[in-house]
Every structure is written in structure tokens, then in C-alpha cells.
Amino acid sequence: MDEFIGGEYDIIVVGAGHAGCEAALATSRLGLKTAVFSLNLDSIANMPCNPNIGGTAKGQLVREIDALGGQMGLSADETFIQSKILNRAKGPAVYSLRAQIDRKAYHAYMKWVLENQENLDIKQAEVIEILTQDKKVTGVRVHTGTIYLARAVILTTGTYLKGRIIIGHTSFSSGPDGLFPANELSDSLRSLGIELMRFKTGTPARVNRRSIDFSKLEEQKGDDQITPFSFMTETLKENQVSCWLTHTSSKTHEIIKDNLHRSPLYSGDIEGIGPRYCPSIEDKIVRFADKESHQIFIEPMGLNTQEMYLQGLSTSMPEDVQIKMIQSLPGLENASVMRPAYAIEYDCINPTQLKLSLEFKEIDGLFSAGQINGSSGYEEAAAQGLMAGINAAMKLKNREPLVLDRSQAYIGVLIDDLVTKGTREPYRMMTSRAEYRLWLRQDNADMRLTQLGRDIGLVSDARYDRFMRKKKMIDDEMKRLKETMLTPTEETNAFLARHNSARLQAGIKLYDLLKRPEMSYEFFKEIGQASDLPDDVIEQISINIKYEGYLDRQMNQIQQFKRMEERRLPKDIDYTKIQGLCLEARQKLSSLRPESLGQASRISGVSPADISVLLVYLESLKRKESSKGESHVE
Amino acid sequence: MMTEDTIAGISTAVGQSGISIIRISGPEAFSIADGVFKGKESVKLQPSQTIRYGKIYRDNGDLLDEVLLAKMAAPRSYTREDVVEISCHGGYTIARALLDLLYQKGARPAEPGEFTKRAFLNGRIDLTQAEAVMDIIQARTERVSKVAARQLEGALSDKINGMRERLIALLANIEVNLDYPEYDAEEVTLSQAYEETTAVIEELNRLIESFRYGKVLREGLEVVIAGRPNVGKSSLMNRLARKNKSIVTDIPGTTRDVVEEYVNIKGIPVKLMDTAGVHQTEDYVEQLGVERTLKAIDEADLVIILEDAARPEESFDPTVNEKVCSANKPFIRVFNKIDLMSQEHLSELKKANPQALFLSVSEDKGIEALEESIFAFASENRQDADNQVLITNTRHELQLKKARDQLSAALEAINGGMTLDMVALDLKGALEELGRITGHHADEDVVHAIFSRFCLGK
């Protein structure tokens, strides 16, 4: 190897997937000299699995990334080909935006954004070693031997570490989508004392659109009125494609049952732990034997390709079984398979080794984000990448890390879950994981986070101005609705009757009228009481008013939650010496070293009594401190 | 952070004294006390560091007890918060009833060692004692959780887990509809959610109702001794009390017409109530006395109808007998003073009353047989009660009621046209309240149920 110093950076990002792109953009936008490394520059921001962004909880993540000044929402708005709001009828806490994305266009757009970013260098190379000195990061070594120095390194290696692809009984070393794996970095991480785990995930087959008989499929169209991901996007293109729906047939199930012995999942060839929420089709048929049919969505991979993605048909069966399975689906009798489905195993770290800032507890300046942390999904990866980038930057600027808590953002729930509880399968975000999901809505992500993004320095003037204008519009209109009385005139009562709403006996504030379930802000136009406001402002106002009782309750819960989060635990507590703690708590607290009392309370094995004991311990520490202080004065 | 809520608990060891002290600590201590206490002045106006006499009333106006109330304003109190200490008549029953009242008024049950914890956190207890405080918290928690675990064994925990399962199944289905809108999991309709929620509320109601049965076991059998004056009620009671180890002795106050004794008969805790003295006073007081006697019979598990063997006709009390009959109360008819009559008379009387017991308190004859009867009755009763699910812990009852409130809110939300996400919020709240009894986390269980019940995947 030819060893030479190839460059000196503030921050190096290892990997240019969804986590790596956000991390590199964040650090460079915050003014730090950054280099991002990718095994292959033609795979920047690749989507090796489903060709869509968003969905339940994930859509919320994208909006939060955007509200903080991240890139994913903007890039998705630029390259989507179909868009839809899910859960329209089920309530504002779970409205979720999802868009089909042109995979190649997304990659090309993101690469273009990186290439044009000031302070950012993009390099094609395999990082094989993390260099440290006294448990402090100093740089990385790449496969050619070249050394790049850095003050902080962010690992965003996705599913590339010792990647192994499995199709039936064939398996080979590979990254996703036939790209090279990264086979050497794992050993370097292990030698740094980092604990690795082995996870598994999979992706279904792709077929040629021309071989599909659409007359047998159900069409799934996008929304008529399209909602953007980014709070900055004003005009959007129209839907350009449809998705399609078919179902597994009894023949499909027969083929799978007859060939179960050929699935590596059942023959024990796969050791990695796969996610429960993402089982392969053979898994579904074994576990849910009484279900006669499963949905299969057929989604376009882009505009300039005939490749279609078969969502719901993830499998690690041998290729011949796959083809039979696919051709047993109505409409796909003559399907031509372009890429077979595969399972992929990869190394990831145990995320409980990280602080909430995503820096390793034991290695100064080393951060980690995305699938390497045991998560799954582009959006989860991007969210972590953004936070790791922000916090690496904050560290180098000698500023406090930005840690979002569970009441501030899905991002906070995601990172807290990973870091505090760890995960035993690839972690997917779900709205049911969020205790405060009524507050963590996609419509108010800017209200929750944009000020924080501004304080960090990631929110541009344009974004901030927009945010402030929106906020003022909401405040002003809320005030007007609270102050404006409607009197029980004939005109008013006729208006109410038209909307099946009870007559007025006395005057009523517009605010209270809007609380009626049958009332809508739009109706106010009829009586000249609606202001000319953008849709997103009206949405915020309507939700705030209609769900006020629930929101108040949630806010109270959040306040209580915050009190525990705000009690910081000093870094150097020796838990083994605290007599009142039960043994299990002592062990767990010693190894996880939580940052606050609230975080401690979420560790399994730490009881409320242990928390009380810690509270007393903290108080006695404080008193010892203050008495020291006094004696010092004397 | 310690002065956020108000806690209440019994601060004396139960069963060791004639007086129980209930302590309330926190910002609402005075207003909560004012909600149940009637004295010469309100607790709010009462000067700090003073003690007042007064009465505790239930919400329906019934007198619960006469008490002494000590007020200590922050920081001059044990916890350095606003503190009220109410000394009530000993005996678990009254103390417990008073605590229940305070919880209804907004106090929270104190955690084990919590008064001490607050005292320490607010600087009342010296630093050198910090470790002792931590030990107390852990030790008491262990003890309490052992007791609670024992209580949770068997039927009660099955019941609660059964309800949790139902709620988890409902929630998992709702959540899967919310989190995986595109998958073909069956959609929960609002009317299905309404039906299932109503069913769980009904189950909760039955469980809360069974709390009354639970009390019999925990607090003992309530036995009333009734009969005409001078048949020997007080002496029988004293005899039973002296012979058997008295658990807690209530102070027979002059204004109290029903005297209570807690005794232990062959291992069964029994609360004996003597309606003595009520017939001996002037007319209008007598009227009151009769009413109280009748009320005591109403609430009793078992009535001992005491008569004078020597003069059975005169000592027959028609009021008591009618009441026992109309209230369908189990009773034991007992003839006292058999030492004062001839053998012939006695055998005649025995023939006429084959079910009755015959004894002499003054000569200590036949007492054993009475105890035997009480024990037999109690054993039967216990078996009965065992078949019911027993809630033996106030906390459990409180949690069950909170869960019920949350479920009612869910029904209200459905009626009010709220969306599924809001309804889910209420349902999850109920699940959390139940989980506080069994030590489960709602979120984890629901997420787990989503994956095990529904077929999802890419």
C-alpha cells in the first residue's frame, strides 16, 4: 500500500447513502470542511429497496428533517412521480405523506446537491480503517493506503459491512444492488472495542413493466391535490404514474409450501436477525397460515425505466421458485424478472454504545448513523445522519449537542429507542412508538423544530422568514377567532342549518363554533368569516382548535416527562457504589450510563424505586458540592 | 420538582396502636383536607402548628369518624411541604376509608418511603442519612411489591391480564390500521371499538364491585351483637375480646353508639360490634340508637342475636329479629345466662330452639361453641369470597377506576365524532393504568401485538 496523507478535514463521512448525504450536507453547511466517501459515486443516495419515501411515521421523519434544514424532503419533492397522503380519514396525528420516487433521478439530484455544496469534497474509495489516538478519532485509511485526517468521523455504512447476499442456497459477498461490499472496516471497528451485531433484511424482485397484464390489476392513483414534503416547496409537479395492486393466489401459497425446504430461512443458512415487520413471503405464509391471500403492490422504479418493484413479495427462495411464485400472481403470468429478490446480511453496531448525540461513548469524535445503528429505512437513516452531522459539527464548534427528546420529534423517539433500549431487529419507525404522537404531527414539524434548526445554524434566512410569516398568520388568526363573536341572527342560523349544526340561542365565538365536529373553517367563507390564508395555516388552526382538549392533555404529559429529562446524571457516577440500587439496575446503569433520569427510567430493569434512589443520590451529591463550595469560601 | 403533587398515606404501623395517623403532604394538602374535614374553621385558615378537633364526612354526608387534625405549613413540617396529619380511631377500616376519601379528593397514594424521600430532597434530613433513606425506599418497595405480587397471584391477575389482552388486541388492530394503512388488515370501525370498550368497562365494573367482597377477607368478618338491654351483650363482647388476642382496640368514645373490637377467632380476623347501651337512654336518643343498630345490622356479615335464657319472652327483640329477617342476614341465635336456670327449663328451651347456642358468659360456658360457629361461618364465607375475584389493595382499585375513566373518555370521543387516532389515545391511557398494576408497558405490548397478530411486510 502506498501510504500518504490525502487530505485534512474537519469531518469525514463514511458512506454516501441517505444517512451519509444528510450528515455531509449538515456539516459542510455548518461551515466545517467535510469529505464524504462512497464505494461508488454512482450509488450516492441509492434506493436499493422500495422506490418510495415517506409513509406512516416515516413521512413525519422527512418533514422533521426538512424543518431542521435537512435535504431529504427537498430532493423528494424534486423527483417524486406519485404522491399520496395516507390515513386521511383516521385523524391528524397519523396523516402521513408518501411519494413514489424516480430512483435514478433522486440519486442524480442528490449527487448534484453534494457536488455543488461548499466545504464538501466527494471521494470514491473504500474506508478500511478508523484511525485513533488515545481513544480519540484522528482520521481514516482507505483501501489504496491513503490516509485522510479528520477531527471527527461519522460512520454511515448502511448494509455494506461484510454484506452477504443470499438467494436460495446461493450466497456471495456483496453490497446491496450488486455493489461492492465493505469487507475490512468491521475488523477495524472491532479492534476499537466496538460490539457488532449481524442483521438481515431483504428486497423483492423487479419485473419488466412490458410483461405485466394491467387489465387484471387494480390501479392505485395519487392524490389530486399534492402536498409537498418540504415546508419550502411551493409548486409541485403532477402525478405521473400509478401504482398497481394484485394478490397472491392459492397457487402462490402452494408453490411456497412445496418449496419451504429450499428457503435458507428455514434451513438455517441465514444467521442474521430479520425484522418482524418485514417478513419474507414464506414467513408470512408459515406464520399466518389461515390467511388465504396477501396484497402485492406493483410500483414503478422511475420514469425512464420499465422496472417495477413487487412490494410484499420479499423472499430468499431460489430463483426458479421465485419465478414460479411471481408468475402465479394474477396479471403477472408472463412476468419477466429483471432482478431476483434477495436477502442481505450485514454487520451493524449495538446502538447502546452511543450517546444520544450519536457519538460513541468510548471513542471521542466517532459518530454513527443509519442502518449501521440497527435501524431500517431511508427516512430513519436520513434522520440519524442529519443529527450525527449536526452533533459532530457542534462538538467541533465546542457547542452543546442537539438532542431532541421524545416529546419534540419522531427523530427523538427513534434515537432514544435505539440508544436507550437497543434493538434486536432492524428498527422501523411507527407512530405507535411515539407516546406524544398527537403533538408530533407532520403538519407542525416546522413549529416544533425550525427555531432549533435556526439556532444551530442550519436554517437559511429564506426558510426562517417563511416560518416566521406562517407562525404569525396562525397566531393572528387564532386571536381573531377567539375574539370574533357570531350573533344568533337569521342568516347565521340558516348557515348553521345548512351544515346540520345546532341553532344559536346566544352569541358564540368563531373559535368555539369551529370546535363543533360538523364545522369546518372552509364553511366560514359563506358568512364572510374566513380569512384568505394558505392551506397549511388553516390546517394548523383547525387541528389546534378541534383537538384542543386532547392537545392540552398531551401537553401536561409532556411537561411531566420533561421534568425527568431535565434531571441530568453526571458522567462519572459509580453506580456500583450506590447501595440502595438493586443489582440489575446497578449493572444496567453502569454499562449504559444514561444522560438523564428520564433516560434511566426507560432502561429495562431499572425500577421506579431505583429512580427514587437516584434522585436522593443526586440530591446528596448536590449538597456535598455546595458544602465544598462553602468551605472553599471560608 | 418534589412539590408537584400531593401524596397521602398511613404513617402509623397498622395494628399496633389505637390511633392511626394519616399524613398528607404537598401543595394541595390543605385544600384536600378541607374537602373531608369539618371543624370550627377550615384547614386553610387554621394556624400552622396547631391541632383541631373535628369530623370527617363522606361525600353523601355520612359521618366517618371524629378526628384530631394537625396542620404544619411549609417549611415547618417533616417533608418541608404543607402537611396535614389526621389522627383517626385505630383500626384499619377507618384509616383505609379515610385514605380512599383523600384519593378521591385528588391526593395520590404515597410510594413506599416517599415521605422520607421528600423530607430528604427538601433538605429536612441530614446528608449523613442519605444512604439510610435510599435503603428505606428500596426495602419498603420490595416489601410492598412482595405483598402486591402475592395479591396479584391467581384470579385477580388473570382478570386484569384478560382485560389488558382485550385492550391490546383492540389497540393493535387500530394501530395496525393507522401504521399500515395499505395492508389488508381488517379495519376496526368506530362502532366495533365502541362495543369492545363497553364490554371492558363492564368487566372493570364487576371487578371494582368485587372489591367489597375482597374487604371481608382482608379486614375481617363484621359481626354485630344485637339484642335487648341487659342480655349480656357487652360482657359477651368483652369475653370474646379478652379470650382472643385483640388486634386493635378502638377507643369507645362517648358519642359512639357502636363499640368495635377487632379480634382474631381461630385465625379469622373479626370485627365485633356491640350495640350496647342504645336502649337504655332517653326516648329520642333511643330512637337514634335503634337506627344505628339497624344500620349496623345492614352492614354486618353476621348477626349474633343475644337473648336471656332465663326470660326468653321478655328478652326477645322484635325490631332486631324483623331487621335480620328482612335484610336476609345470616345470624346465630344465642341464649345467655344458662347458669341462672334449671336443667328442665334449659332442655325445654333447647328443644324449642334447636339451631340456637346456649352459653353463660359469667361462668365461661359454651363460649368455645360460639367461636366454632363464627369460624364455620367465616370459612364458608371465605370460600364464597374466594370464588369472586378479590381486590385486596386500594391502589389496585384506584388504578382500575382510572382505567375505567379513560375508557369512558374513549366512548365519549367516539360519540363526539373524534377520529380513530384520538380514540386510540384514550384506549392507550386505559391500558397504561392497568399496566401500572401488573407492571407492563403499554407501548411495547402494543407494538409486539401488531407484529404477532398481523401480517405485514415489503
Side-chain angles (χ1 to χ4, degrees):
Chain A
M1 275 199 283
D2 308 315
E3 193 171 309
F4 89 108
I5 306 273
E8 213 178 320
Y9 292 92
D10 291 318
I11 289 166
I12 282 173
V13 180
V14 184
H18 304 285
C21 287
E22 291 294 346
L25 287 171
T27 54
S28 50
R29 284 170 180 169
L30 288 169
L32 294 158
K33 198 180 166 208
T34 305
V36 57
F37 286 80
S38 176
L39 286 166
N40 186 334
L41 296 189
D42 294 326
S43 67
I44 287 175
N46 185 30
M47 301 200 282
C49 197
N50 51 315
N52 48 49
I53 283 179
T56 50
K58 292 163 173 270
Q60 279 86 331
L61 282 173
V62 179
R63 291 216 135 206
E64 290 176 356
I65 292 167
D66 187 68
L68 285 166
Q71 184 62 37
M72 185 175 241
L74 290 162
S75 297
D77 284 343
E78 202 63 42
T79 55
F80 81 95
I81 49 181
Q82 189 210 39
S83 166
K84 208 173 179 177
I85 287 237
L86 307 175
N87 279 339
R88 264 283 184 221
K90 291 172 190 157
V94 291
Y95 293 166
S96 306
L97 182 59
R98 201 195 61 179
Q100 298 301 130
I101 306 287
D102 185 314
R103 169 170 163 272
K104 277 288 164 202
Y106 189 84
H107 148 75
Y109 184 80
M110 202 57 121
K111 183 163 176 265
W112 174 255
V113 171
L114 295 188
E115 287 164 351
N116 287 290
Q117 178 60 47
E118 217 178 309
N119 299 322
L120 181 58
D121 285 352
I122 303 154
K123 297 195 176 291
Q124 178 166 305
E126 179 190 351
V127 170
I128 59 165
E129 190 185 351
I130 305 299
L131 305 173
T132 62
Q133 199 166 26
D134 305 327
K135 293 260 165 196
K136 193 173 173 2
V137 156
T138 56
V140 301
R141 187 197 309 275
V142 303
H143 63 310
T144 55
T146 308
I147 284 173
Y148 294 90
L149 299 177
R151 295 196 284 152
V153 171
I154 303 172
L155 299 172
T156 53
T157 58
T159 59
Y160 285 78
L161 289 185
K162 288 221 163 102
R164 189 172 74 115
I165 280 184
I166 303 133
I167 303 170
H169 291 291
T170 312
S171 87
F172 48 90
S173 171
S174 174
D177 256 352
L179 292 154
F180 280 112
N183 281 328
E184 297 196 48
L185 190 56
S186 292
D187 297 334
S188 165
L189 296 180
R190 235 182 233 113
S191 71
L192 290 174
I194 294 170
E195 181 197 340
L196 298 182
M197 308 189 292
R198 192 104 177 125
F199 273 10
K200 184 210 91 175
T201 185
T203 192
R206 315 294 196 272
V207 299
N208 192 312
R209 187 199 310 251
R210 291 172 48 246
S211 64
I212 299 172
D213 178 359
F214 288 94
S215 69
K216 294 184 181 167
L217 306 182
E218 196 182 306
E219 188 172 5
Q220 309 259 304
K221 291 190 169 181
D223 287 347
D224 291 336
Q225 200 193 345
I226 293 177
T227 313
F229 276 113
S230 174
F231 292 100
M232 292 301 284
T233 305
E234 278 184 71
T235 49
L236 275 176
K237 303 170 303 188
E238 286 177 5
N239 291 315
Q240 299 174 68
V241 293
S242 284
C243 294
W244 303 83
L245 176 64
T246 186
H247 294 86
T248 57
S249 63
S250 56
K251 204 173 148 206
T252 322
H253 292 219
E254 226 169 87
I255 294 165
I256 291 168
K257 280 180 199 153
D258 289 348
N259 288 285
L260 265 187
H261 61 284
R262 299 185 60 198
S263 160
L265 281 177
Y266 290 90
S267 61
D269 284 358
I270 291 187
E271 53 176 281
I273 305 161
R276 286 174 297 174
Y277 50 81
C278 188
S280 58
I281 187 75
E282 52 266 34
D283 224 10
K284 290 189 209 171
I285 281 164
V286 171
R287 281 178 53 209
F288 300 93
D290 54 338
K291 208 162 152 63
E292 283 166 14
S293 179
H294 298 273
Q295 291 182 323
I296 306 292
F297 290 92
I298 303 172
E299 304 173 357
M301 303 272 288
L303 294 180
N304 300 314
T305 174
Q306 300 287 15
E307 270 192 271
M308 301 290 273
Y309 172 91
L310 302 183
Q311 165 142 308
L313 210 67
S314 178
T315 181
S316 49
M317 284 284 195
E319 213 171 348
D320 61 311
V321 183
Q322 288 192 25
I323 292 170
K324 275 189 215 151
M325 271 162 49
I326 291 168
Q327 293 184 343
S328 73
L329 302 172
L332 278 82
E333 292 85 354
N334 298 307
S336 160
V337 176
M338 295 176 68
R339 308 188 202 210
Y342 61 80
I344 182 167
E345 278 188 353
Y346 54 96
D347 285 347
C348 58
I349 64 149
N350 178 351
T352 60
Q353 298 167 98
L354 301 173
K355 300 177 193 171
L356 288 165
S357 63
L358 297 179
E359 185 180 12
F360 279 87
K361 289 168 188 167
E362 299 293 342
I363 302 162
D364 195 58
L366 184 61
F367 292 77
S368 168
Q371 269 179 296
I372 186 179
N373 286 352
S375 66
S376 147
Y378 314 140
E379 305 81 356
E380 287 87 341
Q384 293 171 63
L386 175 67
M387 297 312 290
I390 288 174
N391 285 327
M394 290 302 108
K395 185 181 174 83
L396 300 191
K397 289 168 179 258
N398 287 318
R399 286 176 58 183
E400 284 291 306
L402 175 66
V403 172
L404 299 174
D405 70 39
R406 302 181 74 89
S407 71
Q408 284 175 299
Y410 273 91
I411 297 176
V413 176
L414 166 69
I415 293 175
D416 183 63
D417 273 349
L418 286 172
V419 167
T420 308
K421 296 175 189 159
T423 182
R424 299 179 57 189
E425 62 183 349
Y427 177 102
R428 178 204 198 270
M429 197 67 235
M430 297 162 71
T431 68
S432 11
R433 296 193 198 269
E435 297 87 339
Y436 312 112
R437 100 178 146 197
L438 183 52
W439 173 237
L440 306 186
R441 301 187 314 270
Q442 51 107 31
D443 61 90
N444 67 0
D446 52 346
M447 296 296 140
R448 291 185 276 122
L449 300 171
T450 295
Q451 186 62 52
L452 287 172
R454 180 70 175 176
D455 298 342
I456 288 298
L458 214 47
V459 164
S460 65
D461 289 346
R463 182 184 286 275
Y464 193 62
D465 285 349
R466 221 182 137 93
F467 160 72
M468 292 302 277
R469 274 204 311 276
K470 179 175 169 190
K471 196 167 171 341
K472 186 168 185 312
M473 278 189 270
I474 293 172
D475 291 346
D476 290 351
E477 184 63 4
M478 288 291 276
K479 193 162 171 255
R480 185 186 75 87
L481 293 171
K482 277 183 184 165
E483 283 169 356
T484 311
M485 283 291 269
L486 215 54
T487 48
T489 59
E490 236 167 74
E491 190 208 345
T492 310
N493 278 328
F495 158 74
L496 290 171
R498 271 204 303 284
H499 297 287
N500 295 318
S501 199
R503 299 173 57 86
L504 291 186
Q505 301 298 335
I508 188 171
K509 284 177 190 147
L510 287 175
Y511 184 87
D512 292 316
L513 187 61
L514 195 51
K515 279 208 160 131
R516 297 185 174 181
E518 68 278 5
M519 260 307 136
S520 145
Y521 187 89
E522 294 299 308
F523 298 165
F524 286 1
K525 279 184 194 151
E526 299 169 27
I527 46 169
Q529 286 294 356
S531 308
D532 184 23
L533 293 166
D535 290 348
D536 56 346
V537 172
I538 294 172
E539 185 183 20
Q540 281 272 300
I541 289 167
S542 301
I543 293 171
N544 284 345
I545 294 176
K546 287 199 178 291
Y547 301 99
E548 190 187 28
Y550 280 90
L551 277 165
D552 284 351
R553 213 164 79 197
Q554 193 125 90
M555 286 302 152
N556 280 334
Q557 290 169 349
I558 288 175
Q559 265 179 9
Q560 284 185 11
F561 161 82
K562 289 259 190 198
R563 278 194 208 108
M564 291 287 280
E565 296 306 297
E566 281 157 11
R567 301 290 289 226
R568 313 305 298 171
L569 290 168
K571 288 195 181 97
D572 49 359
I573 292 185
D574 185 353
Y575 292 103
T576 58
K577 294 239 168 75
I578 302 178
Q579 285 301 322
L581 292 175
C582 73
L583 196 63
E584 191 186 357
R586 272 187 235 180
Q587 288 164 349
K588 288 272 176 68
L589 291 166
S590 301
S591 79
L592 286 171
R593 275 178 293 133
E595 291 166 33
S596 69
L597 216 51
Q599 198 192 359
S601 72
R602 289 189 292 279
I603 296 173
S604 75
V606 176
S607 72
D610 294 318
I611 295 301
S612 284
V613 167
L614 279 182
L615 210 60
V616 170
Y617 179 80
L618 284 182
E619 175 65 22
S620 62
L621 275 188
K622 203 173 89 191
R623 278 195 228 166
K624 272 180 202 155
E625 286 294 309
S626 66
S627 67
K628 254 187 230 160
E630 278 162 27
S631 60
H632 198 74
V633 171
E634 286 164 18
Chain B
M1 82 176 274
M2 286 332 315
T3 48
E4 67 213 31
D5 59 0
T6 302
I7 55 173
I10 302 182
S11 66
T12 42
V14 174
Q16 289 175 4
S17 66
I19 300 274
S20 290
I21 298 174
I22 307 285
R23 183 183 279 151
I24 316 167
S25 177
E28 300 299 320
F30 302 151
S31 63
I32 289 172
D34 268 329
V36 300
F37 177 82
K38 292 286 165 288
K40 272 198 174 146
E41 63 198 332
S42 73
V43 180
K44 270 199 185 116
L45 295 178
Q46 179 183 335
S48 184
Q49 322 301 122
T50 60
I51 294 178
R52 290 284 184 274
Y53 162 85
K55 291 174 180 173
I56 302 284
Y57 289 96
R58 294 181 195 273
D59 280 347
N60 61 10
D62 282 0
L63 176 70
L64 179 69
D65 197 13
E66 288 171 84
V67 299
L68 293 176
L69 181 146
K71 170 177 170 172
M72 286 146 280
R76 295 172 63 199
S77 73
Y78 177 64
T79 57
R80 291 211 167 164
E81 299 172 338
D82 283 347
V83 166
V84 168
E85 288 184 352
I86 300 175
S87 309
C88 62
H89 288 97
Y92 198 43
T93 325
I94 289 175
R96 273 281 311 279
L98 175 50
L99 265 183
D100 283 348
L101 269 182
L102 295 173
Y103 297 155
Q104 278 169 31
K105 299 288 173 198
R108 168 172 73 70
E111 299 295 328
E114 195 170 2
F115 290 112
T116 312
K117 180 178 100 183
R118 288 191 176 198
F120 178 80
L121 291 179
N122 294 326
R124 172 72 164 66
I125 295 179
D126 189 58
L127 184 58
T128 56
Q129 294 171 43
E131 282 205 355
V133 174
M134 290 189 258
D135 282 342
I136 285 173
I137 292 170
Q138 197 60 258
R140 287 199 187 157
T141 302
E142 270 169 31
R143 206 159 58 221
V144 167
S145 56
K146 260 184 211 153
V147 172
R150 215 178 301 137
Q151 287 168 339
L152 262 183
E153 272 169 21
L156 174 62
S157 112
D158 287 351
K159 273 267 178 189
I160 293 176
N161 283 329
M163 287 189 291
R164 291 192 75 250
E165 282 303 317
R166 285 182 86 159
L167 285 179
I168 288 170
L170 176 61
L171 254 175
N173 202 345
I174 293 177
E175 294 293 333
V176 89
N177 294 157
L178 298 177
D179 257 324
Y180 290 87
E182 294 185 295
Y183 289 86
D184 45 357
E186 198 188 321
E187 293 267 335
V188 182
T189 61
L190 284 170
S191 68
Q192 280 169 333
Y194 193 91
E195 233 170 79
E196 186 65 5
T197 306
T198 311
V200 177
I201 289 182
E202 278 164 15
E203 221 175 302
L204 267 172
N205 277 334
R206 277 197 294 278
L207 201 59
I208 292 166
E209 190 51 40
S210 77
F211 188 60
R212 273 208 60 78
Y213 295 97
K215 260 182 177 162
V216 172
L217 258 195
R218 191 184 53 250
E219 287 158 17
L221 203 63
E222 289 193 14
V223 179
V224 165
I225 306 175
R228 304 281 293 182
N230 293 326
V231 293
K233 295 193 295 289
S234 300
S235 12
L236 175 61
M237 175 138 163
N238 289 338
R239 181 73 215 130
L240 286 170
R242 221 176 315 130
K243 182 157 175 269
N244 298 289
K245 188 173 173 285
S246 179
I247 302 169
V248 174
T249 315
D250 258 9
I251 301 163
T254 46
T255 56
R256 318 184 87 218
D257 302 304
V258 178
V259 179
E260 299 174 8
E261 286 279 3
Y262 285 79
V263 301
N264 188 324
I265 296 178
K266 297 180 187 297
I268 307 273
V270 172
K271 179 175 156 192
L272 279 178
M273 284 174 292
D274 175 16
T275 54
V278 296
H279 292 80
Q280 296 163 337
T281 44
E282 290 160 38
D283 279 359
Y284 101 100
V285 181
E286 179 166 326
Q287 195 50 44
L288 270 182
V290 169
E291 262 166 38
R292 290 212 172 102
T293 304
L294 297 182
K295 197 160 169 260
I297 291 173
D298 244 339
E299 287 169 1
D301 300 302
L302 174 68
V303 182
I304 295 175
I305 303 175
L306 197 61
E307 290 171 22
D308 186 337
R311 35 188 198 101
E313 243 108 286
E314 290 156 66
S315 67
F316 183 81
D317 187 330
T319 327
V320 167
N321 278 281
E322 264 163 42
K323 180 70 200 173
V324 166
C325 190
S326 69
N328 200 19
K329 280 285 160 188
F331 67 94
I332 304 173
R333 190 179 301 282
V334 177
F335 289 94
N336 188 16
K337 305 190 186 177
I338 54 169
D339 54 310
L340 297 180
M341 65 195 302
S342 67
Q343 275 302 324
E344 295 105 277
H345 274 124
L346 182 58
S347 34
E348 249 172 63
L349 197 61
K350 278 185 177 171
K351 235 179 247 165
N353 297 286
Q355 303 287 330
L357 294 179
F358 299 84
L359 51 77
S360 161
V361 175
S362 58
E363 297 203 346
D364 202 6
K365 276 185 195 153
I367 304 290
E368 182 76 19
L370 175 60
E371 287 173 359
E372 211 47 78
S373 292
I374 293 173
F375 175 74
F377 175 82
S379 312
E380 237 167 73
N381 188 285
R382 172 180 289 225
Q383 259 171 10
D384 237 1
D386 270 345
N387 291 335
Q388 308 286 338
V389 170
L390 303 176
I391 305 173
T392 44
N393 187 314
T394 326
R395 264 169 222 261
H396 296 172
E397 195 194 11
L398 204 69
Q399 291 306 131
L400 291 176
K401 285 182 176 162
K402 281 188 188 169
R404 185 179 58 186
D405 292 348
Q406 287 274 310
L407 290 179
S408 305
L411 294 185
E412 238 170 79
I414 295 173
N415 282 336
M418 281 289 168
T419 42
L420 212 50
D421 54 346
M422 306 295 154
V423 177
L425 213 65
D426 289 320
L427 292 176
K428 201 178 262 184
L431 193 57
E432 266 160 23
E433 298 296 354
L434 289 180
R436 292 206 176 101
I437 303 179
T438 55
H440 290 91
H441 288 290
D443 286 314
E444 286 165 25
D445 288 345
V446 172
V447 169
H448 180 76
I450 290 174
F451 294 137
S452 56
R453 282 164 196 269
F454 297 96
C455 182
L456 312 157
K458 59 182 175 186

